Amino acid sequence: MDDQPSITRRGVLVGAGAVASMFAVGGVAYALEGEDRGLLRPPGAQDEAHFRATCMKCNRCETACPQRCLRTGVLEDGVLNWRTPIMDFHRGVCDFCGICEDVCPAGSIAGAHDPAQVIGIAVVDRERCIAWSQGGCQVCVDVCPYGAIVLDDANRPVVDQAKCNGCGACENACPSNSYLAFAGGTDRGINVRSAGKEA
Amino acid sequence: MSRENNEPKKSRFRTARGWVALACVAFVLAGMAFHVGVGTPSAFGIQQISAICPLGALETMAGAKGVMLHPLLLFVLVAVLIALVGKAFCAWMCPVPWLQKFFRPKKRGVAAKGGAGHDVPAKGGAGLDSWAKGDAGREASESSVPGYDIPASCGNPDAGSAQAKPLAVSAAQAVESGGKQAACSPSACAACAGAAACAKVLAPIGGKRDGVQLDSRHAVLMGTLASAAVFGFPVFCLVCPVGLTFATIIGLWNLVQFNEPSWALIIFPIVLIAEVTVLRKWCSKICPISALVSLLSNLNVTLRPRVRTDVCLRSRGVDCHACVDACPEQLDPHSRRIPECSKCGKCVEACPAKAISIKLLK
């Protein structure tokens, strides 16, 4: 067989084929990704382009988060976001402890210790919100650590977008899905949305 | 030592490798169960320190088109680790050799010399098996084939026990080598005062992948970094078999823990199985992790297999090449530079004279 020189014609072909298929995988994944999906990233990872470039899907932040509010992305979140960390406030609330930033080996998260980081903005779902549909609930107002939710004249919660950093306490505490039944989705009466996608 | 030799035992190195691989899985599961954040082999670690995947680190830097301090420091840490342990990751932590063994259990016959890296364990595996079945092999070699018989006068006490042993490679090879070597027959060897005289006669065996290797893996490595830079995300991570193995495990965990079925449980195994069955020479021809680690392990001077030439059968004129046959990386432990060595220990166990050991230094 081909002896000493370790670069052989076959090797070049194999390498070229593998590189070509890698570019194909990258291209397809890139094409499938499409528009910004408005995923909620850990605090300090809101620059999606930087996050996408650096996250190597090692699963450390998900398992390190003491609040357990990070889930692992699934295919439905997009091929590129598969296995990446996504905030899930049904599981926990972000307290900006910064541990996700500490454990991240790839520098994907910057400034997670700072509650001034905006993970997203809480948005009241007026159809699902108990206070808006029936009245008599102010759980989110009481639970918000930043005083970002106030009651309007009719005792319905309204989010002060300037104060909200998307920590998820309101979404986590919202009892709407426990008291009311809705068809489709797991949204609650108040949900954190990616900043710029509040609508 | 000789007693161990007599027992048809399972390979100790292989057992150890199995435990290390299981420990990796256990770490990942424990990390998820107790929320200690040890992560996956992509970046095992505690708090700020982790053994970052060196390829992942370079990919992310290529993707972000910038060098960040934290990943850079971790990369240097891992580079130092690799300089210390060489390509040990490939044999001790990477799940691919195990998957290959599981999904391609068929030994591919007594194929031509060499296979490819871990990809074709056939030859090495066969060698080990024939060792395990030592006595049968020995009977065969004693009755029908002369085998590598060494005159007692020529063997030192240590090798004495090995001498009676299956000298192993296999009956077929014994036939091929004709038992008595033309160049240095046992009688000639007996005549000579010591083993040294014969040592000169046999040329070194040499492994196909001795020395610094630059091959298709390195092309793939460049492609990996280029694609990360072009598309702005680590493309290879999407198909990395190490990542996918643990992503599957994480998927299973999420299924159990959060009752969250996902496509990961179907698609990741399919990609994985395709990689280990269709791309049979993944490790030695394609894997960019192996490429990068082998580049870094050119610095490695520790934990290398070393042959005691006075004990090696070749010094006694026996054309034994059990170590080279057993090596999944197609190396010769007699060679001075074998940066591709993954410290799997197969040569140590294959050596009929117990002449090979993995030395901390030297």
Side-chain angles (χ1 to χ4, degrees), chain B residues 15 28 89 147 191 195 289 318 362:
Chain B
T15 313
V28 172
F89 172 83
I289 308 176
V318 181
K362 267 204 324 189

Side-chain angles (χ1 to χ4, degrees), chain A residues 162-197:
Chain A
K163 287 185 180 172
C164 179
N165 60 12
C167 72
C170 51
E171 180 177 336
N172 185 261
C174 178
S176 73
N177 279 18
S178 310
Y179 291 132
L180 308 176
F182 302 103
T186 55
D187 278 0
R188 297 185 174 173
I190 186 165
N191 305 283
V192 179
R193 297 277 183 252
S194 160
K197 291 217 160 197

Side-chain angles (χ1 to χ4, degrees), chain A residues 6-7 11 22 54 56 58 60 63, chain B residues 35 37 40 43 45 60 214 216 224:
Chain A
S6 53
I7 299 177
M22 198 136 53
T54 50
M56 41 185 252
C58 71
R60 281 203 77 197
T63 59
Chain B
H35 268 257
T40 60
T60 58
L214 273 181
S216 49
T224 301

Side-chain angles (χ1 to χ4, degrees), chain B:
Chain B
M1 193 166 159
S2 58
R3 183 147 38 81
E4 277 173 21
N5 217 352
N6 289 332
E7 288 160 9
K9 66 185 165 71
K10 273 212 148 179
S11 148
R12 273 184 306 155
F13 271 98
R14 195 187 145 177
T15 313
R17 287 198 308 274
W19 280 113
V20 171
L22 282 181
C24 288
V25 176
F27 265 134
V28 172
L29 291 176
M32 290 188 287
F34 304 113
H35 268 257
V36 281
V38 285
T40 60
S42 306
F44 267 139
I46 26 169
Q47 299 180 7
Q48 278 98 333
I49 301 175
S50 53
I52 193 173
C53 167
L55 182 61
L58 293 187
E59 274 185 280
T60 58
M61 288 180 202
K65 298 176 184 67
V67 176
M68 288 155 291
L69 185 64
H70 191 182
L72 182 68
L73 289 176
L74 295 179
F75 178 80
V76 170
L77 173 82
V78 169
V80 170
L81 261 178
I82 294 172
L84 289 176
V85 302
K87 257 181 66 181
F89 172 83
C90 294
W92 291 83
M93 276 176 75
C94 183
V96 171
W98 299 99
L99 291 172
Q100 287 173 332
K101 202 163 285 182
F102 188 77
F103 290 107
R104 285 211 326 265
K106 266 268 153 24
K107 307 255 158 50
R108 314 209 83 247
V110 197
K113 191 158 183 246
H118 295 282
D119 312 325
V120 182
K123 190 72 179 183
L128 283 179
D129 288 352
S130 70
W131 274 113
K133 299 180 201 115
D135 289 326
R138 173 236 207 133
E139 269 150 35
S141 73
E142 277 178 358
S143 55
S144 57
V145 204
Y148 299 126
D149 283 329
I150 316 155
S153 62
C154 206
N156 69 14
D158 198 4
S161 57
Q163 169 211 115
K165 280 273 85 194
L167 296 175
V169 194
S170 69
Q173 273 173 352
V175 176
E176 166 200 20
S177 61
K180 307 200 172 174
Q181 299 299 313
C184 184
S185 72
S187 54
C189 194
C192 68
C198 295
K200 308 279 189 308
V201 182
L202 289 173
I205 324 160
K208 258 183 82 179
R209 298 173 77 229
D210 284 356
V212 177
Q213 297 285 309
L214 273 181
D215 48 45
S216 49
R217 290 172 305 159
H218 299 88
V220 179
L221 173 62
M222 300 318 292
T224 301
L225 299 182
S227 61
V230 168
F231 293 112
F233 65 90
V235 178
F236 178 73
C237 291
L238 292 179
V239 294
C240 170
V242 185
L244 289 185
T245 305
F246 284 90
T248 308
I249 293 172
I250 292 168
L252 281 172
W253 173 263
N254 286 341
L255 178 69
V256 174
Q257 183 74 4
F258 302 106
N259 199 16
E260 185 183 279
S262 64
W263 285 105
L265 292 175
I266 300 168
I267 296 178
F268 292 163
I270 290 176
V271 176
L272 261 178
I273 293 170
E275 280 169 352
V276 300
T277 54
V278 179
L279 304 172
R280 298 200 358 256
K281 299 192 171 179
W282 179 275
C283 298
S284 62
K285 300 288 185 210
I286 296 176
C287 182
I289 308 176
S290 163
L292 181 59
V293 174
S294 79
L295 285 179
L296 293 169
S297 78
N298 285 325
L299 305 167
N300 171 243
V301 289
T302 47
L303 292 171
R304 290 185 295 181
R306 278 292 172 252
V307 185
R308 283 161 63 199
T309 37
D310 53 327
V311 184
C312 175
L313 291 183
R314 294 186 75 77
S315 70
R316 244 162 255 126
V318 181
D319 186 20
C320 169
H321 36 76
C323 50
V324 181
D325 292 341
C327 179
E329 299 278 2
Q330 299 172 267
L331 304 171
D332 176 5
H334 296 80
S335 305
R336 291 189 62 79
R337 285 197 60 72
I338 43 170
E340 295 290 338
C341 174
S342 60
K343 329 289 185 198
C344 69
K346 282 186 180 162
C347 57
V348 176
E349 287 172 337
C351 179
K354 299 261 171 258
I356 309 178
S357 52
I358 294 200
K359 294 273 193 234
L360 188 59
L361 287 170
K362 267 204 324 189

